[in-house]
Amino acid sequence: MDPLVPSDPTTKEYKEWRVSDLDGSSLTEIHMVLSTVVLSYWCWKCKTAAEFHRNPAKFSGRSWQHFVFECTVFLVPMFMALTDHYLYTTIAALIGTCIYYRKQIPNAPYRADKWAPDPRADSFKQSFAPGKITPKSYLSIYRAEMMLLTCFCILAVDFNVFPLKFAKVETFGTSIMDLGVGSFVFSAGVVGAKSVLPKRVDGKIVALSLWQQLKAGLWTSLPVLVLGIARFVLTESVDYQKHATEYGTHWNFFFTLGLLPICVPLGLSLCGDLRVTSMALLVVYQALYSLTPLGNWLEHADRTNIVAANREGIFSFVGYLAMFLLGMSLGQEVLPDAPTFKARRMRLVSVLGVWTTALISFFLFSFVLGVEPSRRFANAPYCFWVAGFNAAMLWVFMVIEEDVDSKLPPQLARAGRPAGYEVPVILEAINVNSLTTFLVANLLTGAINMQVETLLCTT
């Protein structure tokens, strides 16, 4: 054995060495694994719609049978895929189950005049009010699934059952955990767009001033920044393992999350178009990284001062801010209520446009300019990859919802659908308590690592 390699798996040095210099996995493998997330939702949606269609009066999405089914369809495939156990068998089983339940849903009532207005259009017109934002089931499920994926990975990575090819790469490359970190920021941006959308106050549409946005951002940031300080103090006090090239010596992910809401209003004051601001940030940042000595300094500098010691966290914040703004631009498209049924369907085109733009930008940087994605520094190709993946996931969730719901009779209006039909109980709880879920997952990870020698566990 190399004398420089720690031999005792219970030591801090071994745990830090274990997750160092990783290369990640291929884009194909990553997307294959995460396809189980979409298939799980499709399976649940088809089964729920079939049951609701058969007997709307007695349907209950909060029964213990539904809870067991949710655990089976959402948690088991994710565990099987992320531990690299029977991936193709899991995908095949999910597809077969989806097809079975999809055929159980009766076709929509026959419409003699194909060009006549959709019967569901009236309910949209009657319920629409400018500035009103009602919960979107596809958005809740997308956000909860990304949170569930992130929480699973941060705990599982400390066990041997989790393949290290899915853990965060050292500098350049792609992995599931790299995608999970970016997806957390992007999905927060999608939901965070609510803070900059015009609000309805006393029947009037009111836009917040810059000062109001800064004040709201500060109040949002304060508890997260406190959590970041608490995490730093706790990890230092118990000598917890830490990978310095992840965010830096003192920086952690809570600091990145906490600073985002403060900087967003400042970016909006420079340019009202979030897409322009985010693209400009990424292009300038990547140009400085690739064409100046900045890139070499970021990769190889000694940690001799506070900036150099935390350069990953400080400079990657530029990329994460751009990613957050990209998410907010998408949120501006999908969060407000659609005025008409046709406008609701046109959102599929808007989200598809974001997906296509991000995909083209990623291929341009990665395969034409030869710049590899880097989660460590949140460079342009990494940000475009994350944005493209998340836009694709959201688009697929929207398509599934539109496809399944289009088969229901018009009389089963949205207002009459019971709890548990739109969003699974498990995912609804995660979505409503997202910050608490993330905090508890981090605390449990730390507690388990302090009490259990995870690398000695055989299963």
Side-chain angles (χ1 to χ4, degrees), residues 246-268:
E246 187 174 354
Y247 295 107
T249 305
H250 312 101
W251 198 279
N252 60 62
F253 191 50
F254 285 105
F255 290 140
T256 299
L257 292 177
L259 291 174
L260 287 171
I262 301 175
C263 295
V264 167
L266 300 176
L268 283 171

PDB file of all heavy atoms in Angstrom, residues 246-268:
ATOM      1  N   GLU A 246     -13.731  21.456  -1.870  1.00  0.00           N
ATOM      2  CA  GLU A 246     -15.162  21.465  -2.163  1.00  0.00           C
ATOM      3  C   GLU A 246     -15.691  22.897  -2.188  1.00  0.00           C
ATOM      4  O   GLU A 246     -16.274  23.342  -3.173  1.00  0.00           O
ATOM      5  CB  GLU A 246     -15.918  20.636  -1.124  1.00  0.00           C
ATOM      6  CG  GLU A 246     -17.384  20.450  -1.456  1.00  0.00           C
ATOM      7  CD  GLU A 246     -18.064  19.504  -0.471  1.00  0.00           C
ATOM      8  OE1 GLU A 246     -17.376  18.931   0.381  1.00  0.00           O
ATOM      9  OE2 GLU A 246     -19.296  19.356  -0.575  1.00  0.00           O
ATOM     10  N   TYR A 247     -15.506  23.628  -1.086  1.00  0.00           N
ATOM     11  CA  TYR A 247     -15.923  25.037  -1.027  1.00  0.00           C
ATOM     12  C   TYR A 247     -14.835  25.948  -0.456  1.00  0.00           C
ATOM     13  O   TYR A 247     -14.966  27.167  -0.521  1.00  0.00           O
ATOM     14  CB  TYR A 247     -17.186  25.193  -0.162  1.00  0.00           C
ATOM     15  CG  TYR A 247     -18.390  24.505  -0.736  1.00  0.00           C
ATOM     16  CD1 TYR A 247     -18.885  23.336  -0.163  1.00  0.00           C
ATOM     17  CD2 TYR A 247     -19.030  25.005  -1.877  1.00  0.00           C
ATOM     18  CE1 TYR A 247     -19.987  22.696  -0.696  1.00  0.00           C
ATOM     19  CE2 TYR A 247     -20.123  24.355  -2.420  1.00  0.00           C
ATOM     20  CZ  TYR A 247     -20.602  23.211  -1.824  1.00  0.00           C
ATOM     21  OH  TYR A 247     -21.687  22.568  -2.367  1.00  0.00           O
ATOM     22  N   GLY A 248     -13.792  25.377   0.113  1.00  0.00           N
ATOM     23  CA  GLY A 248     -12.743  26.167   0.738  1.00  0.00           C
ATOM     24  C   GLY A 248     -12.552  25.741   2.175  1.00  0.00           C
ATOM     25  O   GLY A 248     -13.233  24.846   2.693  1.00  0.00           O
ATOM     26  N   THR A 249     -11.630  26.401   2.845  1.00  0.00           N
ATOM     27  CA  THR A 249     -11.286  26.028   4.213  1.00  0.00           C
ATOM     28  C   THR A 249     -12.389  26.411   5.202  1.00  0.00           C
ATOM     29  O   THR A 249     -12.708  25.647   6.119  1.00  0.00           O
ATOM     30  CB  THR A 249      -9.971  26.710   4.631  1.00  0.00           C
ATOM     31  OG1 THR A 249      -8.956  26.374   3.676  1.00  0.00           O
ATOM     32  CG2 THR A 249      -9.535  26.242   6.013  1.00  0.00           C
ATOM     33  N   HIS A 250     -12.971  27.582   5.043  1.00  0.00           N
ATOM     34  CA  HIS A 250     -13.968  28.064   5.989  1.00  0.00           C
ATOM     35  C   HIS A 250     -15.365  28.169   5.388  1.00  0.00           C
ATOM     36  O   HIS A 250     -16.345  28.228   6.117  1.00  0.00           O
ATOM     37  CB  HIS A 250     -13.566  29.450   6.524  1.00  0.00           C
ATOM     38  CG  HIS A 250     -12.136  29.530   6.969  1.00  0.00           C
ATOM     39  ND1 HIS A 250     -11.145  30.108   6.198  1.00  0.00           N
ATOM     40  CD2 HIS A 250     -11.532  29.077   8.099  1.00  0.00           C
ATOM     41  CE1 HIS A 250      -9.992  30.036   6.815  1.00  0.00           C
ATOM     42  NE2 HIS A 250     -10.191  29.404   7.982  1.00  0.00           N
ATOM     43  N   TRP A 251     -15.459  28.215   4.090  1.00  0.00           N
ATOM     44  CA  TRP A 251     -16.739  28.406   3.408  1.00  0.00           C
ATOM     45  C   TRP A 251     -17.538  27.103   3.414  1.00  0.00           C
ATOM     46  O   TRP A 251     -16.975  26.009   3.455  1.00  0.00           O
ATOM     47  CB  TRP A 251     -16.473  28.830   1.966  1.00  0.00           C
ATOM     48  CG  TRP A 251     -17.629  29.466   1.235  1.00  0.00           C
ATOM     49  CD1 TRP A 251     -18.671  28.830   0.634  1.00  0.00           C
ATOM     50  CD2 TRP A 251     -17.861  30.861   1.019  1.00  0.00           C
ATOM     51  NE1 TRP A 251     -19.530  29.726   0.041  1.00  0.00           N
ATOM     52  CE2 TRP A 251     -19.054  30.993   0.264  1.00  0.00           C
ATOM     53  CE3 TRP A 251     -17.171  32.017   1.379  1.00  0.00           C
ATOM     54  CZ2 TRP A 251     -19.567  32.225  -0.133  1.00  0.00           C
ATOM     55  CZ3 TRP A 251     -17.677  33.238   0.985  1.00  0.00           C
ATOM     56  CH2 TRP A 251     -18.858  33.334   0.248  1.00  0.00           C
ATOM     57  N   ASN A 252     -18.863  27.220   3.377  1.00  0.00           N
ATOM     58  CA  ASN A 252     -19.706  26.047   3.168  1.00  0.00           C
ATOM     59  C   ASN A 252     -20.918  26.445   2.331  1.00  0.00           C
ATOM     60  O   ASN A 252     -21.137  27.628   2.042  1.00  0.00           O
ATOM     61  CB  ASN A 252     -20.117  25.391   4.502  1.00  0.00           C
ATOM     62  CG  ASN A 252     -20.905  26.318   5.412  1.00  0.00           C
ATOM     63  OD1 ASN A 252     -21.989  26.771   5.053  1.00  0.00           O
ATOM     64  ND2 ASN A 252     -20.361  26.609   6.589  1.00  0.00           N
ATOM     65  N   PHE A 253     -21.713  25.464   1.958  1.00  0.00           N
ATOM     66  CA  PHE A 253     -22.808  25.683   1.007  1.00  0.00           C
ATOM     67  C   PHE A 253     -23.873  26.628   1.564  1.00  0.00           C
ATOM     68  O   PHE A 253     -24.544  27.329   0.808  1.00  0.00           O
ATOM     69  CB  PHE A 253     -23.429  24.334   0.631  1.00  0.00           C
ATOM     70  CG  PHE A 253     -24.375  24.398  -0.535  1.00  0.00           C
ATOM     71  CD1 PHE A 253     -24.022  25.017  -1.718  1.00  0.00           C
ATOM     72  CD2 PHE A 253     -25.646  23.830  -0.440  1.00  0.00           C
ATOM     73  CE1 PHE A 253     -24.889  25.070  -2.799  1.00  0.00           C
ATOM     74  CE2 PHE A 253     -26.528  23.876  -1.512  1.00  0.00           C
ATOM     75  CZ  PHE A 253     -26.149  24.494  -2.692  1.00  0.00           C
ATOM     76  N   PHE A 254     -24.016  26.674   2.888  1.00  0.00           N
ATOM     77  CA  PHE A 254     -25.013  27.575   3.482  1.00  0.00           C
ATOM     78  C   PHE A 254     -24.657  29.038   3.231  1.00  0.00           C
ATOM     79  O   PHE A 254     -25.545  29.880   3.072  1.00  0.00           O
ATOM     80  CB  PHE A 254     -25.136  27.311   4.989  1.00  0.00           C
ATOM     81  CG  PHE A 254     -25.890  26.064   5.324  1.00  0.00           C
ATOM     82  CD1 PHE A 254     -25.229  24.929   5.759  1.00  0.00           C
ATOM     83  CD2 PHE A 254     -27.269  26.009   5.206  1.00  0.00           C
ATOM     84  CE1 PHE A 254     -25.919  23.781   6.086  1.00  0.00           C
ATOM     85  CE2 PHE A 254     -27.975  24.856   5.520  1.00  0.00           C
ATOM     86  CZ  PHE A 254     -27.302  23.737   5.959  1.00  0.00           C
ATOM     87  N   PHE A 255     -23.376  29.366   3.184  1.00  0.00           N
ATOM     88  CA  PHE A 255     -22.969  30.740   2.879  1.00  0.00           C
ATOM     89  C   PHE A 255     -23.365  31.105   1.442  1.00  0.00           C
ATOM     90  O   PHE A 255     -23.842  32.220   1.180  1.00  0.00           O
ATOM     91  CB  PHE A 255     -21.459  30.907   3.074  1.00  0.00           C
ATOM     92  CG  PHE A 255     -21.013  30.848   4.504  1.00  0.00           C
ATOM     93  CD1 PHE A 255     -19.849  30.195   4.854  1.00  0.00           C
ATOM     94  CD2 PHE A 255     -21.757  31.438   5.504  1.00  0.00           C
ATOM     95  CE1 PHE A 255     -19.427  30.138   6.176  1.00  0.00           C
ATOM     96  CE2 PHE A 255     -21.355  31.387   6.833  1.00  0.00           C
ATOM     97  CZ  PHE A 255     -20.191  30.738   7.172  1.00  0.00           C
ATOM     98  N   THR A 256     -23.159  30.172   0.533  1.00  0.00           N
ATOM     99  CA  THR A 256     -23.560  30.414  -0.862  1.00  0.00           C
ATOM    100  C   THR A 256     -25.064  30.643  -0.953  1.00  0.00           C
ATOM    101  O   THR A 256     -25.520  31.603  -1.581  1.00  0.00           O
ATOM    102  CB  THR A 256     -23.152  29.219  -1.742  1.00  0.00           C
ATOM    103  OG1 THR A 256     -21.725  29.058  -1.701  1.00  0.00           O
ATOM    104  CG2 THR A 256     -23.577  29.444  -3.188  1.00  0.00           C
ATOM    105  N   LEU A 257     -25.841  29.767  -0.314  1.00  0.00           N
ATOM    106  CA  LEU A 257     -27.301  29.901  -0.357  1.00  0.00           C
ATOM    107  C   LEU A 257     -27.760  31.198   0.303  1.00  0.00           C
ATOM    108  O   LEU A 257     -28.690  31.855  -0.172  1.00  0.00           O
ATOM    109  CB  LEU A 257     -27.954  28.708   0.350  1.00  0.00           C
ATOM    110  CG  LEU A 257     -27.828  27.340  -0.317  1.00  0.00           C
ATOM    111  CD1 LEU A 257     -28.466  26.272   0.559  1.00  0.00           C
ATOM    112  CD2 LEU A 257     -28.464  27.338  -1.696  1.00  0.00           C
ATOM    113  N   GLY A 258     -27.102  31.573   1.400  1.00  0.00           N
ATOM    114  CA  GLY A 258     -27.525  32.750   2.140  1.00  0.00           C
ATOM    115  C   GLY A 258     -27.255  34.056   1.419  1.00  0.00           C
ATOM    116  O   GLY A 258     -28.003  35.030   1.585  1.00  0.00           O
ATOM    117  N   LEU A 259     -26.212  34.119   0.618  1.00  0.00           N
ATOM    118  CA  LEU A 259     -25.862  35.363  -0.069  1.00  0.00           C
ATOM    119  C   LEU A 259     -26.665  35.578  -1.353  1.00  0.00           C
ATOM    120  O   LEU A 259     -26.748  36.708  -1.847  1.00  0.00           O
ATOM    121  CB  LEU A 259     -24.364  35.367  -0.393  1.00  0.00           C
ATOM    122  CG  LEU A 259     -23.424  35.492   0.815  1.00  0.00           C
ATOM    123  CD1 LEU A 259     -21.979  35.328   0.376  1.00  0.00           C
ATOM    124  CD2 LEU A 259     -23.621  36.823   1.531  1.00  0.00           C
ATOM    125  N   LEU A 260     -27.258  34.518  -1.885  1.00  0.00           N
ATOM    126  CA  LEU A 260     -27.980  34.647  -3.157  1.00  0.00           C
ATOM    127  C   LEU A 260     -29.143  35.638  -3.088  1.00  0.00           C
ATOM    128  O   LEU A 260     -29.240  36.528  -3.947  1.00  0.00           O
ATOM    129  CB  LEU A 260     -28.476  33.263  -3.612  1.00  0.00           C
ATOM    130  CG  LEU A 260     -27.407  32.309  -4.141  1.00  0.00           C
ATOM    131  CD1 LEU A 260     -27.994  30.914  -4.343  1.00  0.00           C
ATOM    132  CD2 LEU A 260     -26.806  32.828  -5.438  1.00  0.00           C
ATOM    133  N   PRO A 261     -30.059  35.545  -2.105  1.00  0.00           N
ATOM    134  CA  PRO A 261     -31.196  36.476  -2.095  1.00  0.00           C
ATOM    135  C   PRO A 261     -30.797  37.939  -1.938  1.00  0.00           C
ATOM    136  O   PRO A 261     -31.540  38.830  -2.345  1.00  0.00           O
ATOM    137  CB  PRO A 261     -32.020  36.010  -0.890  1.00  0.00           C
ATOM    138  CG  PRO A 261     -31.621  34.593  -0.660  1.00  0.00           C
ATOM    139  CD  PRO A 261     -30.175  34.542  -1.036  1.00  0.00           C
ATOM    140  N   ILE A 262     -29.616  38.211  -1.350  1.00  0.00           N
ATOM    141  CA  ILE A 262     -29.163  39.586  -1.181  1.00  0.00           C
ATOM    142  C   ILE A 262     -28.671  40.164  -2.502  1.00  0.00           C
ATOM    143  O   ILE A 262     -28.901  41.341  -2.812  1.00  0.00           O
ATOM    144  CB  ILE A 262     -28.039  39.653  -0.124  1.00  0.00           C
ATOM    145  CG1 ILE A 262     -28.539  39.108   1.216  1.00  0.00           C
ATOM    146  CG2 ILE A 262     -27.528  41.079   0.039  1.00  0.00           C
ATOM    147  CD1 ILE A 262     -27.468  39.024   2.281  1.00  0.00           C
ATOM    148  N   CYS A 263     -27.999  39.335  -3.299  1.00  0.00           N
ATOM    149  CA  CYS A 263     -27.393  39.811  -4.544  1.00  0.00           C
ATOM    150  C   CYS A 263     -28.377  39.889  -5.701  1.00  0.00           C
ATOM    151  O   CYS A 263     -28.135  40.624  -6.670  1.00  0.00           O
ATOM    152  CB  CYS A 263     -26.220  38.906  -4.931  1.00  0.00           C
ATOM    153  SG  CYS A 263     -24.852  38.952  -3.756  1.00  0.00           S
ATOM    154  N   VAL A 264     -29.475  39.146  -5.638  1.00  0.00           N
ATOM    155  CA  VAL A 264     -30.435  39.145  -6.747  1.00  0.00           C
ATOM    156  C   VAL A 264     -31.012  40.521  -7.022  1.00  0.00           C
ATOM    157  O   VAL A 264     -31.041  40.969  -8.183  1.00  0.00           O
ATOM    158  CB  VAL A 264     -31.556  38.116  -6.479  1.00  0.00           C
ATOM    159  CG1 VAL A 264     -32.725  38.330  -7.438  1.00  0.00           C
ATOM    160  CG2 VAL A 264     -31.019  36.702  -6.642  1.00  0.00           C
ATOM    161  N   PRO A 265     -31.493  41.279  -6.011  1.00  0.00           N
ATOM    162  CA  PRO A 265     -32.024  42.619  -6.309  1.00  0.00           C
ATOM    163  C   PRO A 265     -31.000  43.553  -6.939  1.00  0.00           C
ATOM    164  O   PRO A 265     -31.352  44.398  -7.775  1.00  0.00           O
ATOM    165  CB  PRO A 265     -32.471  43.135  -4.933  1.00  0.00           C
ATOM    166  CG  PRO A 265     -32.699  41.918  -4.116  1.00  0.00           C
ATOM    167  CD  PRO A 265     -31.688  40.934  -4.591  1.00  0.00           C
ATOM    168  N   LEU A 266     -29.731  43.400  -6.541  1.00  0.00           N
ATOM    169  CA  LEU A 266     -28.686  44.232  -7.134  1.00  0.00           C
ATOM    170  C   LEU A 266     -28.515  43.916  -8.616  1.00  0.00           C
ATOM    171  O   LEU A 266     -28.340  44.814  -9.443  1.00  0.00           O
ATOM    172  CB  LEU A 266     -27.359  44.014  -6.397  1.00  0.00           C
ATOM    173  CG  LEU A 266     -27.376  44.350  -4.895  1.00  0.00           C
ATOM    174  CD1 LEU A 266     -26.041  44.007  -4.262  1.00  0.00           C
ATOM    175  CD2 LEU A 266     -27.709  45.818  -4.693  1.00  0.00           C
ATOM    176  N   GLY A 267     -28.586  42.629  -8.957  1.00  0.00           N
ATOM    177  CA  GLY A 267     -28.507  42.245 -10.362  1.00  0.00           C
ATOM    178  C   GLY A 267     -29.693  42.747 -11.154  1.00  0.00           C
ATOM    179  O   GLY A 267     -29.557  43.190 -12.306  1.00  0.00           O
ATOM    180  N   LEU A 268     -30.867  42.718 -10.546  1.00  0.00           N
ATOM    181  CA  LEU A 268     -32.072  43.208 -11.221  1.00  0.00           C
ATOM    182  C   LEU A 268     -32.017  44.712 -11.449  1.00  0.00           C
ATOM    183  O   LEU A 268     -32.562  45.223 -12.431  1.00  0.00           O
ATOM    184  CB  LEU A 268     -33.308  42.859 -10.390  1.00  0.00           C
ATOM    185  CG  LEU A 268     -33.791  41.409 -10.463  1.00  0.00           C
ATOM    186  CD1 LEU A 268     -34.872  41.169  -9.426  1.00  0.00           C
ATOM    187  CD2 LEU A 268     -34.316  41.093 -11.851  1.00  0.00           C
TER     188      LEU A 268
END
